[in-house]
Amino acid sequence: WHHVKLNTLGLREKSFCNVNDAINCDLAAFSSYSKLLGFPTAAWGTVFHLIAIFVALWALFSAQDKKEDSLKTAGFNLFVFSIVGLVPTLYLAGVSAFVLKNLCLFCLISYIVNICFFALSALLKKSLDTKLTNFSINIPGWLWGASVFAFAFGLFVPSIMKSSAGVKLGEKELNLYLRAHKSNRKFETNTENSPGTGPKNAPITIVEFSDYQCPYCAVSSKTLPLALHDFKDSVRFIHKNYPLDPSCNPQIKSGGHSLACYASKSAWCVFKFAGDSAYFKAKNALFNEQSSLSRSLIDSIGLEFGKKSLEELSACRNSVDTQAAILRDVNEATALGVRGTPAIYLNGRELKGALYPEVLRKVIEDYLK
């Protein structure tokens, strides 16, 4: 469910299993290793554990009924099945340690369970002195039926979950998003003098216009970095401001978000004071605290990441240069036709559905081909 929710709806709030950058289950759920043959890796794990339970029950029933040959057969099959689980366990543990360089608590628990399963089934096999030549393999019909149930349950439930989340993203829908993106008019987006991450010569550039009081922008701020992690060497990500606030956006005549301009200017000053890395930390902090934003909170975030005094932060925020920088982003967004946030452009073309990680992955993979 965690995998389905994140990859269809995006990351709405910090998951309880995210401790820090090194212990983060969302990163594993967003990675390309979270799927196998189009199904969540966790779904295959569910199938594996269900069948293991059924085979273990077979051994238990055989022991209770004192059917020695059946018990030996079940014990041997349990041992062989534990090896089937051990191989992907060791592979995925290696991926976690050396590729993602990240620890997922859910994954770790499953690794421990699978290793213990292998050890216990090996002890059972040894105690039964079981050899393949000692008996004929005769798997009962109910176990075949139970295995079919396990496959149906494990591999089709994710589709049901996706439908219950209110999003239908099959291959057909993903291709529609891709074709719609490629049919959009291509614009030249300015990537200079704006906060960015990723290689400057990357083949793909993503430019996002957002507002610090926009709820979907908060979702984007959490989802995009994780969804782009697999492509960190191929994507340059640029963040720009489009505050829906009349105090610095001429397109907003009245109302709007009263703190959006103040937050945008503060974040921009962090960029001027401390560079890209500090800017993105401040940006994430502002979105994480979106529900309780106030001028004092924005100030404290600016001071924490900008490493300057309140007087220096205020002077920067009120400067003509900062006002011009925000207005530059607003004018660019207006020229592109932006009317709401977040607005995301990939290589100059607007990408609708970018908050769905599956859509983002589909489009990026197509470009990289």
Side-chain angles (χ1 to χ4, degrees), residues 14 17 46 73 79 143 202 242 268 273:
K14 182 181 178 182
C17 51
T46 302
T73 303
F79 172 69
L143 183 57
Y242 189 77
W268 175 260
F273 291 151

Side-chain angles (χ1 to χ4, degrees), residues 10-290:
L11 183 57
R12 302 296 169 123
E13 56 188 22
K14 182 181 178 182
S15 300
F16 76 93
C17 51
N18 290 354
V19 179
N20 51 41
D21 290 340
I23 304 175
N24 189 313
C25 56
D26 290 336
L27 186 60
F30 275 122
S31 79
S32 58
Y33 297 95
S34 68
K35 270 192 173 186
L36 176 65
L37 301 178
F39 295 96
T41 306
W44 290 104
T46 302
V47 173
F48 169 77
H49 288 128
L50 282 175
I51 296 177
I53 289 170
F54 295 142
V55 178
L57 288 173
W58 176 25
L60 177 63
F61 295 151
S62 299
Q64 290 176 340
D65 295 339
K66 298 181 180 179
K67 296 179 179 178
E68 186 175 347
D69 287 346
S70 182
L71 174 59
K72 285 187 174 184
T73 303
F76 181 82
N77 286 340
L78 201 62
F79 172 69
V80 172
F81 202 66
S82 72
I83 296 175
V84 172
L86 185 64
V87 172
T89 292
L90 296 178
Y91 170 73
L92 290 173
V95 166
S96 180
F98 301 110
V99 180
L100 298 179
K101 297 179 181 178
N102 174 268
L103 178 63
C104 162
L105 292 179
F106 282 124
C107 305
L108 178 62
I109 290 169
S110 72
Y111 301 156
I112 293 171
V113 168
N114 291 346
I115 291 170
C116 290
F117 172 38
F118 168 75
L120 291 172
S121 60
L123 288 173
L124 176 62
K125 175 182 177 295
K126 184 178 180 180
S127 69
L128 294 172
D129 191 27
T130 306
K131 296 179 181 178
L132 184 59
T133 55
N134 287 352
F135 56 87
S136 60
I137 295 179
N138 184 19
I139 298 176
W142 70 266
L143 183 57
W144 287 112
S147 299
V148 171
F149 164 79
F151 270 96
F153 180 85
L155 299 186
F156 290 105
V157 162
S159 298
I160 298 172
M161 289 177 172
K162 188 179 291 187
S163 298
S164 70
V167 179
K168 184 180 179 182
L169 285 177
E171 197 61 29
K172 179 182 177 181
E173 288 76 20
L174 293 176
N175 284 326
L176 285 174
Y177 274 111
L178 174 61
R179 288 200 297 271
H181 164 70
K182 290 206 159 185
S183 67
N184 285 336
R185 179 184 170 187
K186 186 173 182 178
F187 294 90
E188 289 296 327
T189 52
N190 180 23
T191 59
E192 299 298 323
N193 301 316
S194 291
T197 61
K200 292 189 176 181
N201 61 346
I204 294 174
T205 299
I206 294 177
V207 176
E208 178 188 31
F209 295 88
S210 70
D211 169 293
Y212 282 106
Q213 287 185 279
C214 158
Y216 284 105
C217 296
V219 174
S220 175
S221 75
K222 298 176 180 67
T223 301
L224 282 182
L226 292 171
L228 292 173
H229 188 270
D230 275 358
F231 308 102
K232 59 181 179 294
D233 295 329
S234 302
V235 175
R236 173 78 172 162
F237 176 70
I238 303 293
H239 183 260
K240 299 193 178 222
N241 294 285
Y242 189 77
L244 303 176
D245 183 343
S247 64
C248 62
N249 186 338
Q251 303 302 314
I252 309 299
K253 303 304 180 185
S254 61
H257 294 154
S258 60
L259 293 172
C261 190
Y262 193 84
S264 294
K265 289 179 177 180
S266 295
W268 175 260
C269 288
V270 170
F271 172 59
K272 297 302 291 182
F273 291 151
D276 294 302
S277 178
Y279 175 86
F280 282 98
K281 289 177 182 177
K283 176 179 84 76
N284 292 338
L286 288 167
F287 278 121
N288 289 338
E289 301 293 338
Q290 187 181 74

